[in-house]
Amino acid sequence: RLDFAYPRIQIAIELDGAAYHSGEIAKHRDRRRDNQLGALGWRVLHFDWEEVTRTPDYVLGTMRALGAK
């Protein structure tokens, strides 16, 4: 399951917290999902808590550069 998705413009956003995205199994699962989405034409963006809370302009700027609003 994706954290956020913009299906119209095929952008997926993942917030990579330690609870669900650490450890070898989670990393393998995430990489596989990213590859599958990429093969379907989706772009996957990954951000962590530090980026979202300390540099929100970076997060929003990256999303806007790809067409997300």
Coordinates of all heavy atoms in Angstrom, one line a residue:
R1 N 0.8 -1.2 0.0 CA 0.0 0.0 0.0 C 0.9 1.2 0.0 O 1.8 1.3 0.8 CB -0.9 0.0 1.3 CG -1.8 1.1 1.3 CD -2.6 1.2 2.6 NE -3.4 -0.1 2.7 CZ -4.3 -0.2 3.6 NH1 -4.6 0.7 4.4 NH2 -4.9 -1.4 3.7
L2 N 0.5 2.2 -0.8 CA 1.3 3.4 -0.9 C 0.8 4.4 0.1 O -0.4 4.4 0.5 CB 1.1 4.1 -2.3 CG 1.7 3.3 -3.5 CD1 1.2 3.9 -4.8 CD2 3.2 3.3 -3.4
D3 N 1.7 5.3 0.6 CA 1.2 6.3 1.5 C 0.4 7.4 0.8 O -0.7 7.7 1.4 CB 2.5 7.0 2.2 CG 3.2 6.0 3.1 OD1 2.5 5.2 3.8 OD2 4.4 6.0 3.1
F4 N 0.8 7.8 -0.3 CA 0.1 8.8 -1.1 C 0.2 8.4 -2.6 O 1.3 8.0 -3.0 CB 0.5 10.2 -0.9 CG 0.4 10.7 0.5 CD1 1.4 10.6 1.4 CD2 -0.8 11.2 1.0 CE1 1.3 11.0 2.7 CE2 -1.0 11.6 2.3 CZ 0.1 11.5 3.2
A5 N -0.8 8.7 -3.4 CA -0.7 8.4 -4.8 C -1.5 9.5 -5.6 O -2.5 9.9 -5.2 CB -1.2 7.0 -5.1
Y6 N -0.9 9.9 -6.7 CA -1.6 10.7 -7.7 C -1.7 9.9 -9.0 O -0.9 10.0 -9.9 CB -0.7 12.0 -7.9 CG -0.6 12.9 -6.8 CD1 0.3 12.7 -5.7 CD2 -1.4 14.0 -6.7 CE1 0.4 13.6 -4.7 CE2 -1.3 14.9 -5.6 CZ -0.4 14.7 -4.6 OH -0.3 15.5 -3.6
P7 N -2.8 9.1 -9.1 CA -2.9 8.2 -10.2 C -2.9 8.9 -11.6 O -2.4 8.4 -12.6 CB -4.2 7.5 -10.0 CG -4.4 7.6 -8.5 CD -3.8 8.9 -8.1
R8 N -3.6 10.1 -11.6 CA -3.7 10.8 -12.9 C -2.3 11.1 -13.5 O -2.1 11.1 -14.7 CB -4.5 12.1 -12.7 CG -4.7 12.9 -13.9 CD -5.5 14.2 -13.7 NE -4.9 15.1 -12.7 CZ -3.9 15.9 -13.0 NH1 -3.4 16.0 -14.2 NH2 -3.4 16.7 -12.1
I9 N -1.3 11.5 -12.6 CA 0.0 11.8 -13.1 C 1.0 10.7 -12.8 O 2.2 10.9 -12.9 CB 0.5 13.2 -12.7 CG1 0.4 13.3 -11.2 CG2 -0.4 14.3 -13.4 CD1 0.9 14.6 -10.6
Q10 N 0.6 9.6 -12.2 CA 1.4 8.4 -11.9 C 2.6 8.8 -11.0 O 3.7 8.4 -11.3 CB 1.8 7.7 -13.2 CG 0.7 7.1 -13.9 CD 1.1 6.3 -15.1 OE1 1.7 6.8 -16.0 NE2 0.9 5.0 -15.0
I11 N 2.3 9.4 -9.9 CA 3.3 9.7 -8.9 C 2.9 9.0 -7.6 O 1.8 9.2 -7.1 CB 3.5 11.2 -8.6 CG1 4.1 11.9 -9.9 CG2 4.4 11.5 -7.4 CD1 4.2 13.4 -9.8
A12 N 3.8 8.3 -7.0 CA 3.6 7.6 -5.7 C 4.6 8.3 -4.7 O 5.7 8.6 -5.1 CB 3.9 6.1 -5.8
I13 N 4.1 8.5 -3.5 CA 4.9 9.1 -2.5 C 4.9 8.2 -1.3 O 3.9 7.7 -0.8 CB 4.3 10.5 -2.1 CG1 4.4 11.4 -3.3 CG2 5.1 11.0 -0.9 CD1 3.6 12.7 -3.1
E14 N 6.1 7.8 -0.8 CA 6.3 7.0 0.3 C 7.0 7.8 1.4 O 8.0 8.5 1.2 CB 7.1 5.8 0.0 CG 6.4 4.7 -0.8 CD 5.3 4.1 0.0 OE1 5.7 3.4 1.0 OE2 4.1 4.3 -0.3
L15 N 6.5 7.7 2.6 CA 7.1 8.3 3.8 C 7.8 7.1 4.5 O 7.1 6.3 5.1 CB 6.1 9.0 4.7 CG 5.2 10.0 3.9 CD1 4.2 10.6 4.9 CD2 6.1 11.1 3.4
D16 N 9.1 7.1 4.4 CA 9.9 6.0 4.9 C 10.2 6.0 6.4 O 11.2 6.5 6.8 CB 11.2 5.8 4.1 CG 10.9 5.5 2.7 OD1 9.8 4.9 2.4 OD2 11.8 5.7 1.8
G17 N 9.3 5.6 7.2 CA 9.5 5.5 8.6 C 10.1 4.2 9.0 O 9.9 3.2 8.3
A18 N 10.8 4.1 10.1 CA 11.5 2.9 10.6 C 10.5 1.8 10.8 O 10.9 0.6 10.7 CB 12.3 3.2 11.8
A19 N 9.3 2.1 11.3 CA 8.4 1.0 11.6 C 8.0 0.1 10.5 O 7.8 -1.1 10.7 CB 7.1 1.6 12.2
Y20 N 8.0 0.6 9.3 CA 7.6 -0.2 8.1 C 8.6 -0.3 7.0 O 8.4 -1.0 6.1 CB 6.3 0.4 7.5 CG 5.1 0.4 8.5 CD1 4.7 1.5 9.1 CD2 4.5 -0.8 8.7 CE1 3.6 1.5 10.0 CE2 3.4 -0.9 9.6 CZ 3.0 0.3 10.2 OH 1.9 0.2 11.1
H21 N 9.7 0.4 7.1 CA 10.7 0.5 6.0 C 12.1 0.1 6.4 O 13.0 0.5 5.7 CB 10.6 1.8 5.3 CG 9.3 2.2 4.8 ND1 8.9 1.7 3.6 CD2 8.3 2.9 5.2 CE1 7.7 2.1 3.3 NE2 7.3 2.9 4.3
S22 N 12.3 -0.5 7.6 CA 13.6 -0.9 8.0 C 13.7 -2.4 8.0 O 12.7 -3.1 8.0 CB 14.0 -0.3 9.3 OG 13.1 -0.8 10.3
G23 N 14.9 -2.9 7.9 CA 15.1 -4.4 7.9 C 15.2 -4.9 6.5 O 14.7 -4.2 5.5
E24 N 15.8 -6.0 6.3 CA 16.0 -6.5 5.0 C 14.7 -6.9 4.2 O 14.6 -6.7 3.0 CB 17.0 -7.7 5.0 CG 18.4 -7.4 5.3 CD 18.9 -6.3 4.3 OE1 18.8 -6.5 3.1 OE2 19.5 -5.3 4.8
I25 N 13.8 -7.5 4.9 CA 12.5 -7.9 4.3 C 11.8 -6.7 3.8 O 11.3 -6.6 2.6 CB 11.6 -8.7 5.3 CG1 12.3 -10.0 5.5 CG2 10.2 -8.9 4.7 CD1 11.6 -10.9 6.6
A26 N 11.7 -5.6 4.6 CA 11.0 -4.4 4.2 C 11.7 -3.7 3.0 O 11.1 -3.2 2.1 CB 10.9 -3.4 5.4
K27 N 13.0 -3.7 3.1 CA 13.8 -3.0 2.0 C 13.6 -3.8 0.7 O 13.4 -3.2 -0.4 CB 15.3 -3.0 2.3 CG 15.6 -2.0 3.4 CD 17.0 -2.0 3.8 CE 17.3 -1.1 5.0 NZ 18.7 -1.1 5.4
H28 N 13.6 -5.1 0.7 CA 13.3 -5.9 -0.4 C 11.9 -5.7 -1.0 O 11.7 -5.5 -2.2 CB 13.5 -7.4 -0.1 CG 13.3 -8.3 -1.2 ND1 14.1 -8.5 -2.3 CD2 12.2 -9.2 -1.5 CE1 13.6 -9.3 -3.2 NE2 12.5 -9.8 -2.7
R29 N 10.9 -5.7 -0.1 CA 9.5 -5.5 -0.5 C 9.4 -4.1 -1.1 O 8.8 -3.9 -2.2 CB 8.6 -5.5 0.8 CG 7.2 -5.3 0.5 CD 6.4 -5.0 1.8 NE 6.9 -3.8 2.4 CZ 7.2 -3.6 3.7 NH1 7.0 -4.6 4.5 NH2 7.7 -2.5 4.1
D30 N 10.0 -3.1 -0.5 CA 9.9 -1.7 -1.1 C 10.6 -1.6 -2.5 O 10.0 -1.0 -3.4 CB 10.6 -0.7 -0.1 CG 9.8 -0.5 1.1 OD1 8.6 -0.9 1.2 OD2 10.3 0.1 2.1
R31 N 11.7 -2.2 -2.6 CA 12.4 -2.1 -3.9 C 11.6 -2.8 -5.0 O 11.5 -2.3 -6.1 CB 13.8 -2.8 -3.7 CG 14.8 -2.5 -4.8 CD 16.2 -2.9 -4.5 NE 16.3 -4.2 -3.8 CZ 16.7 -4.3 -2.5 NH1 17.1 -3.2 -1.8 NH2 16.8 -5.5 -2.0
R32 N 11.1 -4.0 -4.6 CA 10.3 -4.7 -5.6 C 9.0 -3.9 -6.0 O 8.7 -3.8 -7.2 CB 9.8 -6.1 -5.0 CG 9.0 -6.9 -6.0 CD 8.7 -8.2 -5.5 NE 9.8 -9.0 -5.8 CZ 9.9 -10.3 -5.7 NH1 8.8 -11.0 -5.2 NH2 11.0 -11.0 -6.0
R33 N 8.4 -3.3 -5.1 CA 7.2 -2.5 -5.4 C 7.6 -1.3 -6.2 O 6.9 -1.0 -7.2 CB 6.5 -2.0 -4.1 CG 5.2 -1.2 -4.4 CD 4.9 -0.2 -3.3 NE 6.0 0.6 -3.0 CZ 6.6 0.8 -1.8 NH1 6.0 0.2 -0.8 NH2 7.6 1.6 -1.7
D34 N 8.7 -0.6 -5.9 CA 9.1 0.5 -6.7 C 9.5 0.1 -8.1 O 9.1 0.8 -9.1 CB 10.4 1.1 -6.1 CG 10.1 1.9 -4.8 OD1 8.9 2.0 -4.4 OD2 11.1 2.3 -4.2
N35 N 10.1 -1.1 -8.3 CA 10.4 -1.6 -9.6 C 9.1 -1.9 -10.4 O 9.0 -1.6 -11.6 CB 11.3 -2.8 -9.6 CG 12.7 -2.5 -9.1 OD1 13.1 -1.3 -9.2 ND2 13.4 -3.5 -8.6
Q36 N 8.2 -2.5 -9.8 CA 6.9 -2.8 -10.4 C 6.2 -1.5 -10.8 O 5.6 -1.4 -12.0 CB 6.0 -3.6 -9.5 CG 6.5 -5.0 -9.3 CD 5.8 -5.8 -8.3 OE1 5.2 -5.2 -7.4 NE2 5.8 -7.1 -8.3
L37 N 6.1 -0.5 -10.0 CA 5.5 0.7 -10.3 C 6.2 1.4 -11.4 O 5.6 2.0 -12.3 CB 5.4 1.6 -9.1 CG 4.3 1.2 -8.0 CD1 4.6 2.0 -6.7 CD2 2.9 1.5 -8.6
G38 N 7.5 1.4 -11.4 CA 8.3 2.0 -12.4 C 8.1 1.4 -13.8 O 8.0 2.1 -14.8
A39 N 7.9 0.1 -13.8 CA 7.7 -0.6 -15.0 C 6.3 -0.2 -15.6 O 6.1 -0.3 -16.8 CB 7.7 -2.1 -14.8
L40 N 5.4 0.3 -14.8 CA 4.1 0.7 -15.2 C 4.1 2.2 -15.5 O 3.0 2.8 -15.8 CB 3.1 0.4 -14.1 CG 2.8 -1.1 -13.9 CD1 1.9 -1.2 -12.6 CD2 2.2 -1.7 -15.1
G41 N 5.2 2.9 -15.4 CA 5.3 4.3 -15.7 C 5.2 5.2 -14.6 O 5.2 6.4 -14.8
W42 N 5.1 4.7 -13.4 CA 5.0 5.5 -12.2 C 6.3 6.0 -11.7 O 7.3 5.4 -11.9 CB 4.3 4.7 -11.0 CG 2.9 4.6 -11.2 CD1 2.2 3.8 -12.1 CD2 1.9 5.2 -10.3 NE1 0.8 3.9 -11.9 CE2 0.6 4.7 -10.8 CE3 1.9 6.0 -9.2 CZ2 -0.6 5.1 -10.2 CZ3 0.7 6.4 -8.6 CH2 -0.5 5.9 -9.1
R43 N 6.3 7.2 -11.1 CA 7.5 7.7 -10.5 C 7.3 7.7 -9.0 O 6.2 8.1 -8.5 CB 7.8 9.2 -10.9 CG 8.2 9.2 -12.4 CD 8.2 10.6 -12.9 NE 6.8 11.0 -13.1 CZ 6.4 12.2 -13.5 NH1 7.3 13.1 -13.9 NH2 5.1 12.5 -13.6
V44 N 8.2 7.1 -8.2 CA 8.1 6.9 -6.8 C 9.0 7.9 -6.1 O 10.2 7.9 -6.3 CB 8.3 5.5 -6.4 CG1 8.1 5.3 -4.9 CG2 7.4 4.5 -7.1
L45 N 8.5 8.7 -5.2 CA 9.3 9.6 -4.4 C 9.3 9.1 -3.0 O 8.3 8.6 -2.4 CB 8.7 11.0 -4.4 CG 8.5 11.7 -5.7 CD1 7.8 13.0 -5.5 CD2 9.9 11.9 -6.4
H46 N 10.5 9.1 -2.3 CA 10.7 8.7 -1.0 C 11.1 9.9 -0.1 O 12.1 10.6 -0.5 CB 11.7 7.6 -0.9 CG 11.3 6.3 -1.4 ND1 10.7 5.3 -0.7 CD2 11.3 5.8 -2.7 CE1 10.4 4.3 -1.5 NE2 10.8 4.6 -2.7
F47 N 10.4 10.1 1.0 CA 10.8 11.1 2.0 C 10.8 10.5 3.3 O 10.0 9.5 3.6 CB 9.8 12.3 1.9 CG 9.8 13.0 0.6 CD1 8.6 12.8 -0.2 CD2 10.8 13.8 0.1 CE1 8.5 13.4 -1.5 CE2 10.7 14.4 -1.1 CZ 9.6 14.2 -1.9
D48 N 11.6 11.0 4.2 CA 11.6 10.6 5.6 C 11.0 11.7 6.5 O 10.8 12.8 6.1 CB 12.9 10.0 6.1 CG 14.0 11.1 6.1 OD1 13.7 12.3 6.2 OD2 15.2 10.7 6.0
W49 N 10.9 11.4 7.8 CA 10.3 12.3 8.7 C 11.1 13.6 8.8 O 10.5 14.7 8.9 CB 10.2 11.7 10.1 CG 9.7 12.6 11.2 CD1 10.3 13.2 12.2 CD2 8.3 13.0 11.3 NE1 9.5 13.9 12.9 CE2 8.2 13.8 12.4 CE3 7.1 12.7 10.6 CZ2 7.0 14.4 12.8 CZ3 5.9 13.3 11.0 CH2 5.9 14.1 12.1
E50 N 12.4 13.5 8.8 CA 13.3 14.7 8.9 C 13.0 15.6 7.7 O 12.9 16.8 7.9 CB 14.8 14.3 8.9 CG 15.2 13.5 10.1 CD 15.2 14.4 11.4 OE1 15.7 15.5 11.3 OE2 14.7 13.9 12.4
E51 N 12.9 15.1 6.5 CA 12.7 15.9 5.3 C 11.3 16.6 5.4 O 11.2 17.7 5.1 CB 12.8 15.0 4.0 CG 14.2 14.6 3.8 CD 14.3 13.5 2.7 OE1 13.4 12.6 2.7 OE2 15.2 13.7 1.8
V52 N 10.3 15.8 5.8 CA 8.9 16.3 5.8 C 8.8 17.4 6.9 O 8.2 18.5 6.6 CB 7.9 15.2 6.1 CG1 6.5 15.8 6.3 CG2 7.9 14.3 4.9
T53 N 9.4 17.2 8.0 CA 9.3 18.2 9.1 C 10.3 19.3 9.1 O 10.0 20.4 9.5 CB 9.3 17.5 10.5 OG1 10.6 16.8 10.6 CG2 8.2 16.5 10.6
R54 N 11.5 19.1 8.6 CA 12.5 20.1 8.7 C 12.8 20.8 7.3 O 13.3 22.0 7.3 CB 13.9 19.5 9.1 CG 13.8 19.0 10.5 CD 15.1 18.5 11.0 NE 14.9 17.9 12.3 CZ 15.8 18.1 13.3 NH1 16.9 18.8 13.1 NH2 15.6 17.6 14.5
T55 N 12.4 20.2 6.2 CA 12.6 20.8 4.9 C 11.4 20.6 4.0 O 11.4 20.1 3.0 CB 13.9 20.3 4.2 OG1 13.7 18.9 4.1 CG2 15.1 20.6 5.0
P56 N 10.2 21.1 4.5 CA 9.0 20.9 3.7 C 9.0 21.6 2.4 O 8.4 21.1 1.4 CB 7.9 21.5 4.6 CG 8.6 22.4 5.5 CD 10.0 21.8 5.8
D57 N 9.8 22.7 2.2 CA 9.9 23.3 0.9 C 10.6 22.4 -0.1 O 10.2 22.4 -1.2 CB 10.7 24.6 1.0 CG 9.9 25.7 1.8 OD1 8.6 25.6 1.8 OD2 10.5 26.6 2.3
Y58 N 11.5 21.6 0.4 CA 12.2 20.6 -0.5 C 11.2 19.6 -0.9 O 11.1 19.2 -2.1 CB 13.4 20.0 0.2 CG 13.8 18.7 -0.4 CD1 14.5 18.7 -1.6 CD2 13.5 17.5 0.2 CE1 14.8 17.5 -2.2 CE2 13.9 16.3 -0.4 CZ 14.6 16.3 -1.6 OH 14.9 15.1 -2.2
V59 N 10.4 19.1 0.0 CA 9.4 18.0 -0.3 C 8.4 18.5 -1.3 O 8.2 17.9 -2.3 CB 8.8 17.5 1.0 CG1 7.6 16.5 0.7 CG2 9.8 16.8 1.9
L60 N 7.8 19.7 -1.0 CA 6.8 20.2 -1.9 C 7.4 20.6 -3.2 O 6.7 20.4 -4.3 CB 6.2 21.5 -1.2 CG 5.3 21.1 0.0 CD1 4.9 22.4 0.7 CD2 4.1 20.3 -0.4
G61 N 8.6 21.2 -3.2 CA 9.2 21.5 -4.5 C 9.5 20.3 -5.4 O 9.3 20.4 -6.6
T62 N 9.9 19.2 -4.8 CA 10.1 18.0 -5.5 C 8.8 17.5 -6.1 O 8.8 17.1 -7.3 CB 10.8 16.9 -4.6 OG1 12.0 17.5 -4.1 CG2 11.1 15.7 -5.4
M63 N 7.8 17.5 -5.3 CA 6.5 17.0 -5.8 C 6.0 17.9 -6.9 O 5.5 17.4 -7.9 CB 5.5 17.0 -4.6 CG 5.8 16.0 -3.6 SD 4.9 16.1 -2.0 CE 3.2 16.1 -2.7
R64 N 6.1 19.2 -6.7 CA 5.6 20.2 -7.8 C 6.4 20.0 -9.1 O 5.8 20.2 -10.1 CB 5.6 21.6 -7.2 CG 4.5 21.8 -6.2 CD 4.5 23.3 -5.7 NE 3.5 23.5 -4.7 CZ 3.7 24.1 -3.6 NH1 4.9 24.6 -3.3 NH2 2.7 24.2 -2.8
A65 N 7.6 19.8 -9.0 CA 8.5 19.6 -10.2 C 8.0 18.5 -11.0 O 8.2 18.5 -12.2 CB 9.9 19.4 -9.8
L66 N 7.4 17.5 -10.4 CA 6.8 16.3 -11.1 C 5.4 16.5 -11.5 O 4.8 15.6 -12.0 CB 7.1 15.1 -10.3 CG 8.5 14.7 -10.1 CD1 8.6 13.4 -9.3 CD2 9.2 14.4 -11.5
G67 N 4.8 17.6 -11.1 CA 3.4 17.8 -11.5 C 2.4 17.6 -10.4 O 1.2 17.7 -10.7
A68 N 2.8 17.2 -9.2 CA 1.8 17.0 -8.1 C 1.4 18.3 -7.5 O 2.3 19.2 -7.4 CB 2.4 16.1 -7.0
K69 N 0.2 18.4 -7.0 CA -0.3 19.7 -6.4 C -0.7 19.4 -5.0 O -1.2 18.4 -4.7 CB -1.4 20.3 -7.2 CG -1.0 20.7 -8.6 CD -2.1 21.3 -9.4 CE -1.6 21.7 -10.8 NZ -2.6 22.1 -11.6

